[in-house]
Amino acid sequence: DPFQLSFLSNMGEKNNGFDVLYHNMKHGQISSKELTDFIRERSTIEEAYARSMTKLAKSAGNFSQLGTFAPVWDVFKTSTEKLASCHMELVRKLQELIKEVQKYVDEQAKAHKKTKEEVASTLEAVQNIQTISQALQKSKEIYNAKTVEQERLRKEGATQRDVDKAGVKAKKATETYKSYVEKYATAKSDFEQKMAETAQKFQDIEESHILHMKEIIQAYAQSVDETHIQIGEVHNEFVRNIENTSVESLIQKLAESKGTGKERPGKPPPSYIIKSVCVNSFYSSSDSEDEEEPRKFHVQIKPVQPNNGTHQNRATIDELKASIGNIILSPSTSVQLHNILKTQLNQQTLNSVPFSFSGTSRGPSPVTLASQDALPIAVAFTESVNAYFKGADPTKCIVKITGDMTLSFPMGIIKVFTTNPSPAVLSFKLKNTSRLEQILPNQQLLYSDPSQSDSDSKDFWFNMQALTSYLRKASDQNPSASYYNVDILKYQVLSDGIHSTPLNLAVYWKCTSSTTDLRLDYRYNPDSMNCPGPLTNVQILASVDGGVTSMQSLPNAIWNAEQNKCLWKLSDISEKSENEGRTQAKFELSNGPSNPSTLAVQFMNEGTTLSGVDMELQGTGYRLSLNKKRFATGMQYACCSL
């Protein structure tokens, strides 16, 4: 067998063929894992593409439905949705293939372990012949030297004693050399026999491996080919649909959807004019309690009488009057507000928006990370401020600020960690810790030195084995993710009462049996922030009972009649806007008085924290690609009356 002979030729003069074949077998397992990574990355790319196509299809569905071109967007939408389905089907097939490859990797590892045990005797034969070969070479050199020495003494006429003495040494060297020649012959025979068997075993393993890898690649190619065929069919269908969408059909559809009838119109209908309309002014925005009741306005529409009116015209006018009736215009917008609120406010409390990495990281692709690269990681500091204000008394304000530190690792870093037996230790310095009351690190992943003397910073370093295990587990649970977030530590910030709150509040209630006046004063506090920034998504929620029948507010608020709640949505508050502001409302009641309730407030900030805590990487091997900071209101940021 030529293939087998090529294996046997690897034995060479130093009998190193066994090592070559054994390591070649181990390289097969590496190739299997790398093929798994390749298919997984292809699956990730296909999934991202499918999601983008789905988003594009939704966009096509939201485009203008006016005009003759509108039906064409339905063709685009349907075709794009089918394309997204084709790619998602490929993702499903690739995920199934990954499972098959992983199963093969596990079986391959077991087979290699069994083979290692089976070829142990061959390894001993290799080591034996290598040892004997070295001894044989040395005895040969000694034999040649002793023989030459004896012959030299004889030619130079040395004494018989010296010649005999040299002869004894030469004879001994000859016997030793002969002994090693015989040992080498025996060892060589044993080696060649076992090596031939082992080479055949390695060849069988390698053939099976290559065949299995080809089967996997063929399955991969078939899945991609089937997807391409499906995409081609979808594209051909799209082309046919566009070709079948003629100008005449588009105009016909417009006529059918917008037409008012198929009958040819007769005489033109009579023209109408508005006979009398009273002016519609909405309620005043002042705080006066003497507001007039909203007025109803009567609009009466009468046709201009034609000079040659007929009985048919008079009948048409009568029908028009009966169908329209009296039109009443009212300034009340409670129904509209109620409908808006039902879609925008379906919660009893206002919660902070969860954080997600943007990863805009300038790091390399997760696939191309190598052990020699400075590995990119991202960090996020997310702080939550909870505060409880009582009336307008600043001394009664209760504040608690907590924070979380999260690191994000790209998917490719897992491969670097697992293939490197001793990856560089990831360590960092937590700065400005003097502003923290308590620090709770993730003890499963982090080490720290409790004896550090610097009160404004604290050093931490990772248990790299635990970190690698954590990331590998996260990858197994979600193999398609590009990044994996790890909660590193939690902390509590030292607070100074109301001075630590970004938005100071004071509430005032005035409740009578027929009306309720509510006012909330607020003040922007830039001193509470490490780097002052705008407060966004500012919302104020108040519950008002007593049977509210109408509401007047400044600025405009949304009233939810089902939940008896009033919601203000304010513009961003910052140093560039007015630092102080007020929301106020007057409620008309049918079953007063109201009971003063606690107001809930929500806001957030992107770009800074309240504590000023920061992170600095230590050592080499890693770089910080993104440092994101934010804070938001927690579960409770509220204000009540005294």
Side-chain angles (χ1 to χ4, degrees), residues 4 13 55 98 125 180 186 272 280 288 334 339-340 413 424 427-428 459 511 545 557 581 606 613:
Q4 183 176 349
E13 294 182 358
K55 184 177 180 180
I98 289 172
Y180 278 113
T186 302
Y272 297 95
N280 176 23
S288 172
S334 61
N339 292 334
I340 295 173
I413 207 171
S427 60
F428 63 90
D459 293 334
C511 302
D545 59 8
E606 294 282 356
V613 171

Side-chain angles (χ1 to χ4, degrees), residues 180-467:
Y180 278 113
V181 170
E182 294 173 351
K183 290 181 179 180
Y184 178 79
T186 302
K188 184 174 182 292
S189 176
D190 180 57
F191 165 76
E192 288 180 348
Q193 179 184 353
K194 292 182 177 179
M195 190 61 195
E197 296 172 354
T198 299
Q200 183 62 51
K201 187 181 295 293
F202 281 136
Q203 178 173 331
D204 294 340
I205 292 175
E206 198 63 19
E207 287 179 351
S208 176
H209 168 63
I210 294 174
L211 289 174
H212 207 125
M213 293 288 278
K214 287 190 66 176
E215 291 175 358
I216 294 171
I217 295 173
Q218 288 172 354
Y220 168 82
Q222 182 178 354
S223 298
V224 174
D225 186 57
E226 291 173 351
T227 301
H228 287 170
I229 293 174
Q230 293 172 351
I231 291 174
E233 292 174 352
V234 172
H235 178 68
N236 291 334
E237 182 186 45
F238 172 78
V239 173
R240 289 194 302 271
N241 289 336
I242 292 297
E243 289 175 349
N244 294 332
T245 307
S246 63
V247 175
E248 293 78 8
S249 66
L250 290 175
I251 294 177
Q252 180 66 25
K253 288 183 179 179
L254 178 67
E256 292 174 353
S257 62
K258 301 298 184 181
T260 59
K262 296 183 179 179
E263 297 294 330
R264 183 181 297 274
K267 296 181 179 180
S271 300
Y272 297 95
I273 61 170
I274 298 179
K275 183 177 181 182
S276 61
V277 178
C278 297
V279 178
N280 176 23
S281 60
F282 288 96
Y283 61 89
S284 171
S285 61
S286 67
D287 294 337
S288 172
E289 299 181 4
D290 299 325
E291 294 293 328
E292 297 179 358
E293 289 293 326
R295 291 178 291 172
K296 297 181 179 179
F297 304 97
H298 178 72
V299 178
Q300 183 179 10
I301 300 178
K302 288 188 176 181
V304 176
Q305 296 294 336
N307 294 330
N308 56 346
T310 63
H311 175 74
Q312 182 179 0
N313 286 341
R314 288 195 297 272
T316 305
I317 294 170
D318 293 338
E319 292 173 358
L320 182 64
K321 288 182 177 180
S323 62
I324 294 180
N326 294 328
I327 298 178
I328 299 176
L329 301 180
S330 170
S332 173
T333 57
S334 61
V335 176
Q336 296 180 3
L337 294 179
H338 173 67
N339 292 334
I340 295 173
L341 194 60
K342 284 186 67 176
T343 59
Q344 295 185 351
L345 187 64
N346 293 317
Q347 57 184 16
Q348 295 296 326
T349 58
L350 298 171
N351 298 327
S352 61
V353 180
F355 175 80
S356 60
F357 276 104
S358 166
T360 57
S361 169
R362 57 185 176 87
S365 165
V367 183
T368 62
L369 286 180
S371 57
Q372 66 269 21
D373 294 330
L375 303 178
I377 61 173
V379 65
F381 292 94
T382 305
E383 294 183 351
S384 176
V385 52
N386 295 271
Y388 193 70
F389 301 84
K390 291 186 177 181
D393 189 348
T395 63
K396 295 185 179 296
C397 179
I398 303 173
V399 183
K400 182 178 181 181
I401 304 172
T402 58
D404 293 274
M405 177 181 173
T406 304
L407 289 188
S408 183
F409 297 87
M411 177 267 292
I413 207 171
I414 301 176
K415 181 178 179 181
V416 177
F417 283 172
T418 53
T419 56
N420 188 349
S422 56
V425 175
L426 174 57
S427 60
F428 63 90
K429 181 187 294 292
L430 194 64
K431 302 166 64 177
N432 301 328
T433 55
S434 60
R435 306 179 187 180
L436 303 184
E437 183 176 337
Q438 189 177 17
I439 302 177
L440 299 175
N442 187 332
Q443 296 183 354
Q444 296 179 347
L445 300 177
L446 285 183
Y447 295 126
S448 63
D449 184 2
S451 63
Q452 291 176 216
S453 58
D454 188 356
S455 61
D456 202 36
S457 67
K458 194 172 183 63
D459 293 334
F460 294 91
W461 62 96
F462 274 88
N463 179 335
M464 297 306 294
Q465 182 178 358
L467 177 60

Side-chain angles (χ1 to χ4, degrees), residues 469-510:
S469 176
Y470 181 94
L471 292 175
R472 187 189 295 114
K473 183 178 180 181
S475 175
D476 293 340
Q477 293 175 347
N478 188 9
S480 62
S482 299
Y483 293 87
Y484 298 99
N485 294 343
V486 182
D487 293 331
I488 300 304
L489 55 81
K490 299 180 182 296
Y491 55 87
Q492 182 171 339
V493 184
L494 288 170
S495 64
D496 185 21
I498 197 172
H499 303 294
S500 300
T501 59
L503 195 65
N504 302 162
L505 306 177
V507 66
Y508 304 90
W509 290 81
K510 180 182 178 183

Side-chain angles (χ1 to χ4, degrees), residues 528-549:
S528 66
M529 291 168 258
N530 179 57
C531 181
L535 303 181
T536 62
N537 193 31
V538 183
Q539 300 186 38
I540 302 171
L541 185 68
S543 178
V544 183
D545 59 8
V548 176
T549 58

Side-chain angles (χ1 to χ4, degrees), residues 496-622:
D496 185 21
I498 197 172
H499 303 294
S500 300
T501 59
L503 195 65
N504 302 162
L505 306 177
V507 66
Y508 304 90
W509 290 81
K510 180 182 178 183
C511 302
T512 68
S513 59
S514 60
T515 62
T516 292
D517 291 332
L518 170 61
R519 191 184 91 201
L520 177 73
D521 295 340
Y522 59 84
R523 185 178 67 84
Y524 177 72
N525 180 20
D527 295 336
S528 66
M529 291 168 258
N530 179 57
C531 181
L535 303 181
T536 62
N537 193 31
V538 183
Q539 300 186 38
I540 302 171
L541 185 68
S543 178
V544 183
D545 59 8
V548 176
T549 58
S550 66
M551 175 189 74
Q552 299 179 16
S553 66
L554 277 177
N556 289 334
I558 301 172
W559 173 251
N560 186 330
E562 291 182 355
Q563 299 183 5
N564 293 327
K565 293 183 184 297
C566 173
L567 175 67
W568 281 276
K569 293 185 176 182
L570 306 183
S571 303
D572 294 356
I573 303 175
S574 67
E575 290 181 305
K576 296 181 180 179
S577 64
E578 294 184 4
N579 285 2
E580 298 183 1
R582 171 181 297 178
T583 63
Q584 56 187 354
K586 176 183 286 291
F587 302 91
E588 299 289 338
L589 308 177
S590 63
N591 190 26
S594 301
N595 295 306
S597 63
T598 300
L599 275 67
V601 179
Q602 168 184 290
F603 55 80
M604 61 181 296
N605 170 276
E606 294 282 356
T608 189
T609 59
L610 299 171
S611 66
V613 171
D614 209 344
M615 171 224 200
E616 181 181 285
L617 287 176
Q618 304 289 300
T620 60
Y622 304 90

